[in-house]
Amino acid sequence: MRNIDSYTHTRGESIYLDDIPVINGTLYAACFDSPIAHGKVLSLDITEAEKCEGVFKVLTHKDITGINQIGGIIPDEPLFADTHVDFCGMPVALVLAESDEAARAALHKIKLEIEPLHVITDPREAAEKKELIVPSRTFRIGDSTTTWKDCEYIFEGVADTNGQEHLYIETQGAYAIPQENGNIRVYSSTQGPTAVQRAVSKVTGLSMNQIEIDTTRLGGGFGGKEDQANTWAALCALAAKVTKKPVKYSLHRMDDIRMTGKRHPYSSDFKIGLDKDLKILAYEATFFQNAGAAADLSPAVMERTLFHCTNTYYVPNVTATAHCCRTHLPPNTAFRGFGGPQGMFVIEAAIAKAADSLGIDATVIQQKNLLQTGNELPFGQKVISEANECWNKTMASFEMDKIKKDIAAFNTNNKLYKKGVAVMPICFGISFTNTMMNQGRALVHVYTDGSVVISTGAIEMGQGVNTKIVQVAAQTFSIHPANIKISSTNTYRVANTSPTAASATADLNGGATLVACTAILKRLKQVAADELKVNVEDIELKDEFIYAKGEKTHLDWKALAILTYSKRVSLSEHGHYSTPDIQYDKTKEKGHAFAYHVYGTSITTVTIDCLRGIYEVDSIKVVHDFGSSMNPIIDKGQIEGGIVQGIGWMTMEEVVYDKNGKLRSNALSTYKVPDIYSVPKEITIEHLETDKANLAIFRSKAVGEPPLMYGIGAFFALRNAIKNFNPNSSPAFNAPMTPEKVLLNLYPEKVQELRVDKKLQVN
């Protein structure tokens, strides 16, 4: 089953937001945003901008017809700045003009006077000043405080991870079109149509049934359009309501990078204790999450960090605390992994610190502590583990002992080039941690010619979810996939959708499609049984024909569809699916939060040029827990993409804000993402063969987020290569490991000499 979008993608015929034909009279929007990260608005003058050629109107907070609020989890995010600005890039005014060029030109005529206030960019400073968005949360199991006395070895340290720019190919955008009776249709580049619908409802004052959100597909999202698409849709919808004209806004790349939130940076403290056999007895971690200026999805991201704070290891005594810290940066948001990678990096850093101090390979500690089936995680869920199976197959299939010997030989024979290797085992839970969001719906119609159309809450953004939904229907009805069409995602056809996120989209929407198709199939079989005068149990649909008692009949799929219609039996169904067996009690921080977990193990090897600090990722070899993959080609593509994106986060993608909260890595000339020259030379992916039952659709486990965590191995492989060159070096656990950091860590003694010399010169 090939990806159903391949043909139109490669011919440039797939429809994205900018491909929608523009209606005559459409206004183009451009946002005037705050140049100051924190301050009091003294005055705003838009008169000169409104006089500019081609300008129709300039909107501010005074033009809002509902409420000036788009916050989802917490109502703390104004659409427009009113009395204060809270981050560089905060919308202050919206210019509406006859062309994009005219709108952007008028921005320069807006005059804004701001009294600067103190700017916080460091989450630790925010925590110290009690600037927390939500109360801190703690996950506990056992009693870590009384266990330290039983530990043979105890190690402490700090681990920091930076943010990451989503850099979806299609930037944020929306196109709002007024409809009759005051209704509005919004074409939105969003992962969460219902979230957009709610935000538009708040800002315009319209009820949700007056607002239609429609999305055909996205040119990438990675979490960046789960909540942050709300801003641009709300701006366009408000403008359409006020002007009674269509309004379009597609952000320019540098505006998108400047005005949108990133992956959450974290600064974390850890303490780990092991017994004499290197079993982890106790682990404590404190996470300082840099949420930015408003909640966005930060509380949920922080929660996911706690859920994954022990990665794939069993630790009987854990205390993990997380603080959601308010700073004066753009509100940070969902990003592939949703806080899980940040938590997993810290325990890997703790293990690496222990291994360094004990003079052993980190893999010794990793392997001894892998989860076993029946082990309990810090939040109370007991696991069905594939951790050891993935580890053992990885070691055997890729000959880890030989890899180590080859690296040792290479390092012995090369002075200025050194190799390093690291193993990264993963365990990632699949479900929304907010239990109520684990539901999906699908609307399925079978037409009288036998063709089928399906509408779901899923958003296709390159991950192949529409293809998998087609597979569900094709397999259920036993018809050719060419007979099935996936409609755009539309809040009038499928309401109250959960966002396309959490790696749960195929499970939820595929599950709902299966429910709907199964209900229609049951009715079809009854009609066939009546027509053929046999029991319904004797009817089977196979390869577009109807079989009775195992014999092929004269009825085919199309004939049965017409016959069913003639009998006045419904050929449509609205299916609802909710994930069973999951629950979570936040008052106790205990529950069964995930439908299942995805496991895997990777081996990453790197080579460093020790003269210049540059490096290459030689290979990454993975054994991944697919379950029973329903589409191996799509799943492999997702894993490859996730790996490279994770490596980018860990090595080269460095988000830089200055002390005043202004983004300095604000263009592709100052922010580096992996290209064809920086991806691993070799990516090998093997399936873990397993027949264990799980709650994934057709037992095909999620592959969206888990593979990103394999990229963490690149950081530790580089760190090991540095130590192979200079055993006295002790690189900080501070990601990303850029070439500059590599160079400094290769020669820490020289760096110290320069610092001392500089200090002496100053004195």
Side-chain angles (χ1 to χ4, degrees):
M1 176 69 193
R2 68 183 182 188
N3 191 314
I4 61 173
D5 287 326
S6 297
Y7 183 77
T8 53
H9 280 359
T10 53
R11 291 169 59 86
E13 294 173 355
S14 298
I15 302 298
Y16 296 87
L17 180 71
D18 254 356
D19 298 307
I20 297 171
V22 176
I23 297 172
N24 189 33
T26 292
L27 297 175
Y28 293 83
C31 189
F32 178 84
D33 57 289
S34 174
I36 301 294
H38 188 209
K40 181 179 180 181
V41 177
L42 301 179
S43 66
L44 174 64
D45 186 354
I46 59 174
T47 53
E48 291 301 315
E50 289 188 312
K51 294 177 184 178
C52 289
E53 184 178 353
V55 171
F56 186 87
K57 188 174 178 59
V58 178
L59 302 182
T60 69
H61 68 92
K62 297 177 182 178
D63 297 290
I64 290 177
T65 55
I67 60 172
N68 187 20
Q69 184 55 242
I70 58 170
I73 295 177
I74 297 172
D76 68 343
E77 185 175 359
L79 176 64
F80 281 119
D82 184 353
T83 59
H84 290 76
V85 293
D86 299 315
F87 61 92
C88 289
M90 185 177 187
V92 177
L94 189 73
V95 176
L96 305 173
E98 295 172 358
S99 69
D100 180 62
E101 293 76 13
R104 292 177 65 81
L107 294 177
H108 300 286
K109 300 296 182 180
I110 295 176
K111 298 175 183 177
L112 175 66
E113 186 180 0
I114 298 174
E115 177 187 329
L117 298 174
H118 178 66
V119 174
I120 299 174
T121 60
D122 184 345
R124 290 180 183 265
E125 180 187 350
E128 187 179 325
K129 294 183 176 180
K130 309 298 183 186
E131 288 289 341
L132 301 181
I133 286 176
V134 293
S136 303
R137 294 176 65 180
T138 299
F139 281 17
R140 287 189 180 89
I141 187 172
D143 187 351
S144 63
T145 56
T146 61
T147 306
W148 299 116
K149 66 180 185 328
D150 302 322
C151 297
E152 186 76 15
Y153 311 107
I154 298 174
F155 306 99
E156 298 181 67
V158 175
D160 295 328
T161 52
N162 202 342
Q164 186 176 21
E165 166 60 39
H166 299 87
L167 212 78
Y168 23 66
I169 295 176
E170 178 190 37
T171 59
Q172 300 274 4
Y175 187 19
I177 303 172
Q179 307 291 296
E180 62 182 12
N181 299 319
N183 300 327
I184 298 176
R185 175 184 297 145
V186 182
Y187 297 100
S188 174
S189 182
T190 178
Q191 294 174 236
T194 295
V196 166
Q197 191 182 27
R198 290 194 192 105
V200 169
S201 176
K202 287 180 186 177
V203 171
T204 61
L206 298 172
S207 57
M208 289 175 71
N209 70 348
Q210 294 177 279
I211 301 160
E212 177 187 5
I213 310 299
D214 191 277
T215 303
T216 299
R217 64 172 58 82
L218 308 184
F222 310 116
K225 297 176 181 176
E226 182 177 344
D227 209 59
Q228 302 230 330
N230 299 355
T231 300
W232 321 107
L235 288 171
C236 289
L238 174 67
K241 185 174 188 292
V242 170
T243 64
K244 296 181 171 51
K245 287 177 172 288
V247 176
K248 181 179 179 181
Y249 192 9
S250 291
L251 271 67
H252 287 222
R253 175 64 65 189
M254 288 183 68
D255 294 339
D256 188 301
I257 294 176
R258 182 183 72 256
M259 298 174 71
T260 61
K262 323 297 180 194
R263 182 188 292 280
H264 290 79
Y266 275 67
S267 184
S268 307
D269 300 322
F270 64 79
K271 183 178 181 181
I272 191 169
L274 300 86
D275 67 13
K276 59 182 174 53
D277 296 319
L278 303 182
K279 286 292 188 76
I280 303 172
L281 296 184
Y283 178 64
E284 291 183 354
T286 304
F287 303 99
F288 297 90
Q289 179 200 56
N290 192 331
D296 194 277
L297 294 167
S298 297
V301 172
M302 180 186 78
E303 180 182 65
R304 176 77 71 158
T305 298
L306 292 171
F307 276 118
H308 292 87
C309 67
T310 53
N311 190 14
T312 189
Y313 308 110
Y314 174 62
V315 186
N317 301 283
V318 176
T319 303
T321 300
H323 307 293
C324 186
C325 307
R326 190 188 302 276
T327 61
H328 298 111
L329 302 181
N332 287 312
T333 191
F335 201 125
R336 200 174 194 170
F338 204 76
Q342 291 95 318
M344 293 158 73
F345 178 84
V346 178
I347 194 165
E348 293 300 329
I351 290 172
K353 174 80 178 257
D356 287 352
S357 302
L358 295 172
I360 60 173
D361 197 307
T363 56
V364 177
I365 301 175
Q366 289 173 314
Q367 184 177 15
K368 281 181 176 289
N369 293 280
L370 293 172
L371 286 165
Q372 306 276 354
T373 294
N375 285 161
E376 185 177 336
L377 296 171
F379 54 92
Q381 181 166 345
K382 293 183 178 179
V383 298
I384 299 173
S385 177
E386 305 280 8
N388 286 277
E389 290 86 342
C390 288
W391 180 282
N392 293 336
K393 184 174 180 179
T394 301
M395 298 300 117
S397 295
F398 303 126
E399 300 179 286
M400 183 60 174
D401 290 341
K402 183 176 184 302
I403 290 174
K404 288 182 177 179
K405 288 178 182 177
D406 290 345
I407 287 177
F410 178 91
N411 289 339
T412 299
N413 295 322
N414 288 272
K415 183 178 180 181
L416 292 180
Y417 288 89
K418 297 294 181 182
K419 288 184 180 290
V421 62
V423 176
M424 182 65 196
I426 68 163
C427 167
F428 194 83
I430 305 300
S431 287
F432 287 100
T433 53
N434 185 351
T435 304
M436 74 172 183
M437 295 174 68
N438 293 287
Q439 55 178 300
R441 277 157 295 283
L443 179 62
V444 179
H445 298 309
V446 178
Y447 292 100
T448 54
D449 66 350
S451 61
V452 177
V453 67
I454 303 172
S455 298
T456 75
I459 298 290
E460 175 60 55
M461 50 185 180
Q463 82 280 43
V465 67
N466 282 353
T467 301
K468 290 187 175 182
I469 289 172
V470 167
Q471 287 183 258
V472 170
Q475 185 169 327
T476 305
F477 290 138
S478 194
I479 61 177
H480 195 278
N483 292 328
I484 303 167
K485 175 184 181 294
I486 301 293
S487 185
S488 64
T489 307
N490 186 289
T491 53
Y492 278 2
R493 288 192 290 272
V494 177
N496 306 319
T497 61
S498 292
T500 294
S503 301
T505 306
D507 289 344
L508 296 178
N509 294 279
T513 301
L514 180 60
V515 168
C517 291
T518 301
I520 295 171
L521 179 65
K522 183 178 179 181
R523 296 195 287 267
L524 289 167
K525 284 185 173 181
Q526 186 62 61
V527 169
D530 293 344
E531 175 72 9
L532 298 170
K533 297 180 172 48
V534 296
N535 294 325
V536 71
E537 294 81 11
D538 297 326
I539 295 295
E540 181 185 5
L541 275 68
K542 187 166 62 176
D543 299 330
E544 302 197 5
F545 275 91
I546 288 72
Y547 286 70
K549 296 183 178 180
E551 297 293 326
K552 188 175 183 179
T553 72
H554 67 281
L555 274 180
D556 64 10
W557 169 255
K558 291 183 180 180
L560 181 57
I562 295 171
L563 178 63
T564 303
Y565 174 76
S566 72
K567 299 291 185 181
R568 297 188 296 174
V569 175
S570 175
L571 288 167
S572 298
E573 186 67 30
H574 185 257
H576 175 88
Y577 174 81
S578 59
T579 309
D581 305 329
I582 57 173
Q583 49 77 28
Y584 193 74
D585 186 345
K586 290 187 179 181
T587 63
K588 299 177 181 177
E589 299 292 16
K590 297 293 179 183
H592 189 93
F594 300 108
Y596 59 90
H597 286 81
V598 174
Y599 296 85
T601 301
S602 68
I603 301 171
T604 304
T605 58
V606 300
T607 303
I608 291 179
D609 176 337
C610 299
L611 191 62
R612 293 179 289 177
I614 61 175
Y615 48 78
E616 292 181 332
V617 180
D618 300 320
S619 69
I620 182 160
K621 300 178 179 182
V622 177
V623 170
H624 186 77
D625 170 27
F626 286 81
S628 301
S629 176
M630 63 190 293
N631 199 313
I633 293 175
I634 284 179
D635 287 351
K636 183 180 179 183
Q638 281 290 284
I639 292 173
E640 290 174 342
I643 287 170
V644 173
Q645 196 168 49
I647 290 173
W649 174 50
M650 283 283 106
T651 62
M652 62 180 63
E653 296 187 45
E654 188 171 31
V655 178
V656 179
Y657 287 94
D658 65 22
K659 64 180 182 179
N660 296 316
K662 189 177 289 290
L663 182 66
R664 293 305 182 185
S665 53
N666 64 342
L668 295 183
S669 58
T670 52
Y671 184 81
K672 176 65 175 168
V673 297
D675 56 20
I676 194 65
Y677 301 105
S678 52
V679 301
K681 295 176 183 176
E682 177 189 355
I683 300 179
T684 303
I685 300 163
E686 289 195 7
H687 294 227
L688 176 72
E689 303 297 337
T690 177
D691 57 359
K692 291 181 182 178
N694 61 62
L695 289 175
I697 183 70
F698 292 165
R699 296 190 179 182
S700 181
K701 285 190 174 184
V703 294
E705 292 173 288
L708 182 130
M709 269 59 79
Y710 295 131
I712 295 173
F715 177 93
F716 292 97
L718 287 169
R719 193 173 182 277
N720 290 337
I722 291 168
K723 292 176 71 64
N724 287 336
F725 175 77
N726 186 344
N728 295 321
S729 181
S730 183
F733 300 105
N734 187 318
M737 183 69 83
T738 61
E740 292 88 345
K741 289 180 185 175
V742 169
L743 188 61
L744 293 174
N745 280 300
L746 287 167
Y747 304 96
E749 300 89 353
K750 294 292 184 183
V751 173
Q752 183 61 29
E753 287 177 17
L754 289 170
R755 285 174 177 164
V756 171
D757 185 54
K758 184 177 181 181
K759 186 176 180 181
L760 289 172
Q761 288 181 30
V762 170
N763 290 337

